Amino acid sequence: MRLLVVGKLSGQLSTAVKMAMSAGAKVSHVETIEAATHALRAGQGADLLMVDYDLDIAGLIAANQIERIHVPVVACGIAADPLRAAAAIRAGAKEFIPLPPEATLIAAVLAAVSDDNRPMVVRDPNMQLVIDLADQVAASDASILITGESGVGKEVVARYVHQKSRRANRPFISVNCAAIPENLLESELFGHEKGAFTGALARRIGKFEEATGGTLLLDEISEMDHRLQAKLLRAVQEREIDRVGGAKPVKIDIRILATSNRDLVQAVKDGTFREDLLYRLNVVNLRLPPLRERPGDVVAMAEFFVKKYAAANGMAEKPLSSEAKRRLIAHRWPGNVRELENAMHRAVLLAPNAEIDETAIRLPDGQPLAPADPHARTAQAASVAAETATRGFVGQTVSQMEQQLILGTLEHCFGNRTHAANILGISIRTLRNKLKEYTEAGVSVPAPQMGQSAA
């Protein structure tokens, strides 16, 4: 994380800076709020500002907003005057750190305010295949398109790729293309010169230049205006940009990642996304499966979020009950990881007993998760297993692929022919004929297990 410290470096503030660096922050320093805004405008970049509460924090935030610079502020001060600390919070600071500092407090505040504290939690084979591919391509400078439903963790994977790349010690800059108004996005990405338009009071370095040497993530790229896509295409192809109002191009050295929760091939057909830009961005595609297709990750992630929010709320960490785990795995999670995280945050706050049971895990409308259906779990597991199996079919004949898919699905349905046929999308008669062929050829066919019907 990049930390910009604003204020005179007295002994206590210097100590806080050293602690922040020990916690992994990359620290730079200016003494005045004017210098802070100038540094940010010039492309120095920061993920967090730590500002002496004797300075005009409201003025700093207002000046940054005029420049459309949105960086969270943490106030700090000696003696911890409660009135001045409260005034700093009212002025827009997210947190207050009293000086002299405590190392644990510094680390906790940095983790809470920044968005870097999102480690990769992977247990499911489906997701592990994606991570294995990410590991293969991370060291290159190839553009990567990360796709998947909303909430599956696309930005987490993008950060993972950056951390595994040769640019890991350089900036990681993320731009949400859906959150910035169309008329402002061009300036946000490419920067502008003084006087380029009304309100352009000084030169502003855009995200492309801010990411120099590092990685630029274009989040939800499908929301970008078609006209701006042409300018982006040139930047990707030529590795140079034009600031708004600029007289000459500016060379850039960045790696570009992009995410989308939409089908960009269909967007090309609809005329809302440029086909040539898609080819440039989609050198490698990392398609993240929704949480319902990676049940092996559900409990591991739930336990991670329990630990996270127990610590954040100063509460004892509680284990998940067996029934809670079953219901978590059985739920479809339409909001994916984001929904799971919110549910576990609520569960930490609502669990009255020594463990988090199923009654504490509630949906956004307050309803508990539905009881787990054994047949639904069987079908889900078989469906996921079948999808995983298909990824290993390269190099086999169609007949071999079909046999492996049928037998693998049947095994995961505990030998139940009806469930297997439903998942495979074939009639029970067709399935039985195939199984008869396999048996006559000496191939072992899974028999129904105890409690399961062969019907």
Side-chain angles (χ1 to χ4, degrees):
M1 187 187 68
R2 300 167 300 165
L3 175 65
L4 177 60
V5 177
V6 186
K8 293 186 180 298
L9 279 179
S10 63
Q12 300 296 352
L13 189 54
S14 294
T15 301
V17 167
K18 291 176 183 177
M19 290 179 178
M21 293 174 71
S22 298
K26 298 175 182 178
V27 182
S28 53
H29 169 248
V30 295
E31 291 194 350
T32 67
I33 60 172
E34 293 80 12
T37 299
H38 176 76
L40 295 171
R41 185 195 297 130
Q44 177 172 311
D47 301 305
L48 181 66
L49 305 181
M50 183 183 291
V51 185
D52 186 336
Y53 70 174
D54 284 332
L55 298 179
D56 182 6
I57 291 177
L60 171 61
I61 293 174
N64 287 349
Q65 287 177 339
I66 290 173
E67 296 284 346
R68 300 190 300 280
I69 297 171
H70 304 287
V71 182
V73 171
V74 169
C76 60
I78 298 172
D81 181 331
L83 294 178
R84 292 160 71 197
I89 297 296
R90 286 196 298 271
K94 300 293 185 183
E95 297 284 350
F96 174 77
I97 298 176
L99 302 178
E102 296 181 7
T104 54
L105 178 60
I106 293 284
V109 169
L110 294 181
V113 176
S114 76
D115 61 357
D116 291 351
N117 188 31
R118 290 181 287 177
M120 185 73 65
V121 179
V122 178
R123 298 290 185 276
D124 193 272
N126 269 354
M127 190 62 184
Q128 189 58 56
L129 289 171
V130 178
I131 300 306
D132 290 344
L133 179 56
D135 288 338
Q136 281 185 263
V137 300
S140 73
D141 271 345
S143 297
I144 297 177
L145 180 62
I146 305 171
T147 57
E149 294 178 7
S150 180
V152 292
K154 296 187 288 294
E155 184 170 348
V156 175
V157 171
R159 289 181 180 275
Y160 176 85
V161 169
H162 172 71
Q163 291 160 4
K164 291 284 185 175
S165 74
R166 294 174 294 179
R167 299 172 180 264
N169 293 323
R170 303 294 295 169
F172 176 91
I173 306 298
S174 176
V175 181
N176 188 331
C177 299
I180 301 172
E182 178 184 321
N183 61 327
L184 301 179
L185 184 57
E186 182 175 10
S187 174
E188 186 75 15
L189 289 174
F190 303 109
H192 61 252
E193 297 290 351
K194 180 179 179 180
F197 50 82
T198 302
L201 305 179
R203 170 186 285 180
R204 165 79 185 280
I205 298 301
K207 297 301 183 183
F208 271 88
E209 290 180 82
E210 189 177 329
T212 294
T215 302
L216 177 65
L217 171 63
L218 299 173
D219 199 15
E220 300 305 344
I221 185 71
S222 57
E223 304 304 314
M224 181 178 289
D225 175 67
H226 202 273
R227 178 192 62 82
L228 194 53
Q229 290 176 27
K231 191 167 183 178
L232 174 59
L233 176 64
R234 179 174 178 273
V236 176
Q237 288 183 159
E238 306 299 331
R239 287 297 190 262
E240 63 181 28
I241 61 164
D242 295 304
R243 298 192 193 109
V244 178
K248 59 181 181 180
V250 178
K251 290 291 184 181
I252 54 171
D253 171 25
I254 60 172
R255 200 253 190 98
I256 295 179
L257 308 179
T259 74
S260 177
N261 60 11
R262 291 174 54 195
D263 182 348
L264 290 184
V265 173
Q266 185 60 48
V268 168
K269 294 178 181 177
D270 295 341
T272 60
F273 201 83
R274 293 181 63 109
E275 185 175 28
D276 45 7
L277 178 58
L278 176 57
Y279 290 146
R280 286 290 181 177
L281 296 175
N282 194 26
V283 176
V284 177
N285 177 230
L286 298 179
R287 183 255 177 195
L288 306 194
L291 201 53
R292 61 185 173 274
E293 292 180 12
R294 42 199 258 226
D297 286 346
V298 173
V299 172
M301 286 186 173
E303 290 174 337
F304 168 78
F305 292 133
V306 166
K307 183 175 182 179
K308 173 182 175 180
Y309 287 109
N313 289 282
M315 303 171 70
E317 182 183 339
K318 299 177 181 180
L320 292 165
S321 72
S322 297
E323 179 59 23
K325 291 179 181 179
R326 283 192 288 270
R327 293 197 185 192
L328 286 169
I329 293 172
H331 188 62
R332 288 187 62 78
W333 301 110
N336 292 296
V337 180
R338 188 178 294 123
E339 181 188 1
L340 175 64
E341 179 173 4
N342 291 339
M344 300 321 299
H345 192 175
R346 282 192 294 273
V348 166
L349 301 176
L350 297 176
N353 303 316
E355 64 179 4
I356 297 175
D357 62 22
E358 66 277 9
T359 63
I361 304 174
R362 296 183 174 273
L363 300 174
D365 62 2
Q367 295 298 310
L369 296 183
D373 178 353
H375 294 298
R377 288 204 308 273
T378 297
Q380 180 190 44
S383 178
V384 170
E387 179 177 339
T388 302
T390 61
R391 302 181 190 222
F393 286 154
V394 175
Q396 299 187 44
T397 66
V398 171
S399 178
Q400 290 170 327
M401 291 167 57
E402 181 184 64
Q403 177 179 310
Q404 186 176 337
L405 178 60
I406 288 174
L407 295 180
T409 303
L410 187 62
E411 180 179 351
H412 282 274
C413 286
F414 306 107
N416 188 299
R417 272 61 172 164
T418 301
H419 288 170
N422 287 337
I423 290 168
L424 292 166
I426 59 178
S427 69
I428 187 68
R429 180 177 179 180
T430 299
L431 176 60
R432 285 172 176 160
N433 289 339
K434 290 290 181 183
L435 297 180
K436 184 171 183 266
E437 289 178 15
Y438 301 155
T439 301
E440 291 174 350
V443 177
S444 176
V445 173
Q449 297 184 20
M450 186 175 296
Q452 294 288 335
S453 169

